[in-house]
Amino acid sequence: MSEETQILVLGAYGLAGRAIVRRLLEKTTYSVIAGGRNEAKLRLLKGERVTTCLLDVDDTSAVTSACEKASFVINAVGPFAKNGFNVAKTVLETGKPYLDCANEQRHYQNLIKLDELAQKRNLPLVTGAGVFPGLSTLLVAHMLERYPDTIEVDCCCVQFRHAYMDSGLASVMGAILEAVEQPVSVKQGMLVPTRLGKSVRIFDLPPPFGQRLLLEVPLIDAFTLRKLFPVREYHTWFYVGDLPVWLLKLFRILQPQHRPRVYRLVESIVRRINNRETAKAISAGVSPECMIYVRVVIGDQIEERFVTFYDGAIATACLPVYIADGYIRGNITKTGLLTPLDIITTDRLKEIVDGAITSMKLG
């Protein structure tokens, strides 16, 4: 592959973006264009194979200009339900392949409108390629292939803190916007609304997490998994730490996704909570490890599998780097709206997460 091959990473200094840039440099020989709107933070990413591009993803002309030099575009600017559609549309219109690590159901539904454009341009439009969904979806699929008579699936994502300070706001806001949008889960083979604040459950998780109370926030795979597997019950759960559920209920009343001023207010509140909790965890020596845990019920039998990562950022970076490399090498050729389930077989899981995990139980 030519040394001139460049991958554009939008949101390159954020929680996921920074890890994606680092993993691209570690796992590929490609050059990276690091895009973002904070010049000081971008400057910290400069290196032998990294150039920077000052831009705001809301500026269509700036994104178009940045895409011209790229062979592949990875969008790490969340929350995706807020600006993901416009960024994806701009990237496709420049004739470049697009990928994001979104989890929001609304974003997936928005991208359906771009499927025709992507196919017409013979381009992949990949979404849900993060850790949850993404790697978690592949782990669920791995188990459903192994246990085709599964009647119930619980998929959990847990971490004690973000990988570093001043990060993770976009991912938290994405989860909040998803929660207040009345997301749906799969129950008895049907898509049903999730009752925010009512769908909570205690799980006994492998070390180092132990017993934790998790909140159900269904993701994109409520739509995608059911196309391939006839599971009667499918639920996705998040560990939200000390974030009070009543606050999520308040946000649902306020509807920040439809009111810009309210969105900025909610973002300000969440930023303070996020930074305070991250600082407290770091000072207390809390580990940043992240775990995907899947539990399936087959009649009277229960099976569980898990993957534990060094941190949530590197976990999120695994699929974007693997898919971008696969597309550039010609190993991935499908076009249109895609998720990892459409382009990756589950036997690739170990290869995808190489160097990013501390432990794994695949069975």
Side-chain angles (χ1 to χ4, degrees):
M1 182 57 61
S2 169
E3 293 182 1
E4 297 301 314
T5 299
Q6 298 187 85
I7 296 179
L8 171 62
V9 180
L10 300 172
Y13 52 74
L15 181 67
R18 200 181 317 182
I20 290 169
V21 170
R22 186 182 305 120
R23 194 163 176 88
L24 281 168
L25 297 177
E26 292 173 353
K27 294 292 184 179
T28 77
T29 60
Y30 311 133
S31 296
V32 177
I33 305 171
R37 60 185 181 183
N38 187 308
E39 188 172 7
K41 291 182 179 180
L42 282 176
R43 214 177 293 129
L44 298 175
L45 297 175
K46 280 188 175 180
E48 184 179 348
R49 287 161 51 206
V50 181
T51 57
T52 61
C53 180
L54 188 65
L55 60 80
D56 189 316
V57 294
D58 290 331
D59 184 341
T60 300
S61 62
V63 174
T64 299
S65 178
C67 288
E68 290 175 355
K69 300 177 182 178
S71 300
F72 197 98
V73 180
I74 299 174
N75 181 16
V77 182
F80 297 94
K82 181 173 179 286
N83 55 30
F85 175 85
N86 290 333
V87 175
K89 184 172 183 289
T90 300
V91 172
L92 293 176
E93 287 176 340
T94 63
K96 305 298 180 177
Y98 171 92
L99 176 146
D100 66 45
C101 46
N103 58 23
E104 300 101 316
Q105 291 180 352
R106 184 155 66 97
H107 176 63
Y108 179 78
Q109 292 171 313
N110 288 340
L111 290 187
I112 292 173
K113 304 168 190 173
L114 295 178
D115 178 58
E116 183 177 353
L117 173 62
Q119 294 197 49
K120 183 178 180 180
R121 296 294 183 94
N122 199 33
L123 295 168
L125 170 63
V126 184
T127 191
V131 57
F132 198 70
L135 294 177
S136 64
T137 317
L138 292 174
L139 181 55
V140 170
H142 166 79
M143 294 193 71
L144 293 178
E145 290 166 357
R146 189 180 182 90
Y147 302 106
D149 295 327
T150 293
I151 58 174
E152 182 178 347
V153 179
D154 290 299
C155 182
C156 308
C157 184
V158 290
Q159 64 177 11
F160 289 133
R161 69 167 177 87
H162 298 306
Y164 27 78
M165 275 299 300
D166 192 27
S167 65
L169 176 63
S171 62
V172 176
M173 284 299 297
I176 287 173
L177 292 183
E178 184 72 350
V180 301
E181 274 284 349
Q182 188 75 27
V184 297
S185 59
V186 176
K187 188 170 184 178
Q188 300 295 323
M190 302 293 291
L191 292 173
V192 296
T194 297
R195 299 175 62 196
L196 183 64
K198 298 298 183 182
S199 298
V200 295
R201 183 171 173 181
I202 294 175
F203 286 87
D204 287 311
L205 303 167
F209 296 98
Q211 192 174 87
R212 298 287 159 182
L213 180 67
L214 273 60
L215 172 71
E216 184 176 14
V217 182
L219 309 175
I220 290 171
D221 45 15
F223 300 115
T224 58
L225 267 170
R226 67 191 298 262
K227 295 178 182 178
L228 301 176
F229 302 101
V231 181
R232 288 172 51 197
E233 300 266 353
Y234 178 68
H235 305 273
T236 48
W237 308 85
F238 277 92
Y239 175 62
V240 295
D242 295 328
L243 184 67
V245 173
W246 66 263
L247 191 59
L248 294 177
K249 292 180 179 178
L250 175 62
F251 292 161
R252 170 168 285 178
I253 294 172
L254 294 175
Q255 289 292 290
Q257 71 275 31
H258 302 305
R259 304 161 70 184
R261 289 185 180 179
V262 175
Y263 179 89
R264 289 193 292 272
L265 172 63
V266 170
E267 186 179 52
S268 176
I269 293 171
V270 173
R271 178 183 287 108
R272 288 198 294 270
I273 294 174
N274 184 59
N275 289 345
R276 183 190 66 217
E277 294 303 316
T278 301
K280 185 192 303 182
I282 291 175
S283 64
V286 173
S287 165
E289 285 179 297
C290 170
M291 175 183 286
I292 304 169
Y293 168 84
V294 178
R295 173 184 179 274
V296 301
V297 178
I298 318 102
D300 295 330
Q301 179 186 358
I302 295 176
E303 293 288 339
E304 62 177 20
R305 302 290 185 272
F306 64 86
V307 183
T308 307
F309 301 86
Y310 288 107
D311 60 61
I314 193 172
T316 305
C318 291
L319 270 172
V321 172
Y322 185 87
I323 292 173
D325 184 47
Y327 177 83
I328 292 170
R329 290 177 178 275
N331 298 328
I332 296 174
T333 58
K334 287 187 177 181
T335 63
L337 179 57
L338 305 164
T339 67
L341 271 180
D342 299 309
I343 51 181
I344 297 174
T345 55
T346 60
D347 60 352
R348 297 290 184 181
L349 262 172
K350 289 184 179 180
E351 179 183 346
I352 295 168
V353 301
D354 177 60
I357 65 172
T358 62
S359 60
M360 171 186 282
K361 179 184 177 183
L362 281 185

